Amino acid sequence: MEASDQGMNRILEQLHFVASYVGDCDDWVTVKKEILRGIPSPLRKRFSRRDSRTKEQWLNDFEKELINYYREQTGVDLKLRTLAERREMFGVL
């Protein structure tokens, strides 16, 4: 993944920062939330939004590239889980 513009540089910088403290967490939504918290609002438009009806997440091409880059950098294969899987994983009803 090339950091061809300033916005992309900022996103990759935040991704590296998040990777430094999430450890072996393999949940894409968790990592994505942390990335989004640390970048300016205008950069957030590159990321997908959850479905307004089902509340399920989906991956756009940009996020697929980020997930591949993350795996190359950390060795952690991020997974996109369903809302039900995430609730079970984190013990939320």
Side-chain angles (χ1 to χ4, degrees):
M1 171 168 274
E2 283 188 38
S4 58
D5 63 45
Q6 220 173 17
M8 189 63 204
N9 285 335
R10 181 64 189 97
I11 291 169
L12 291 178
E13 178 183 304
Q14 184 65 21
L15 179 124
H16 285 279
F17 176 67
V18 170
S20 76
Y21 67 82
V22 296
D24 61 356
C25 173
D26 68 350
D27 182 55
W28 166 245
V29 175
T30 300
V31 171
K32 176 181 174 177
K33 285 179 182 178
E34 293 300 310
I35 293 169
L36 292 174
R37 285 187 179 124
I39 61 174
S41 296
L43 297 180
R44 296 178 189 162
K45 68 183 176 190
R46 296 182 184 205
F47 291 84
S48 65
R49 298 180 60 156
R50 67 183 185 177
D51 184 278
S52 60
R53 187 178 53 81
T54 66
K55 307 300 184 208
E56 290 292 346
Q57 298 280 336
W58 58 280
L59 296 173
N60 63 24
D61 290 339
F62 174 73
E63 290 172 320
K64 290 174 186 174
E65 287 184 41
L66 273 184
I67 288 170
N68 288 334
Y69 179 81
Y70 192 88
R71 181 178 44 252
E72 291 169 4
Q73 297 299 307
T74 67
V76 176
D77 189 16
L78 296 173
K79 295 171 181 55
L80 176 62
R81 294 183 170 87
T82 65
L83 181 59
E85 289 172 325
R86 290 193 315 277
R87 285 180 173 167
E88 183 177 322
M89 189 169 119
F90 295 113
V92 178
L93 295 176

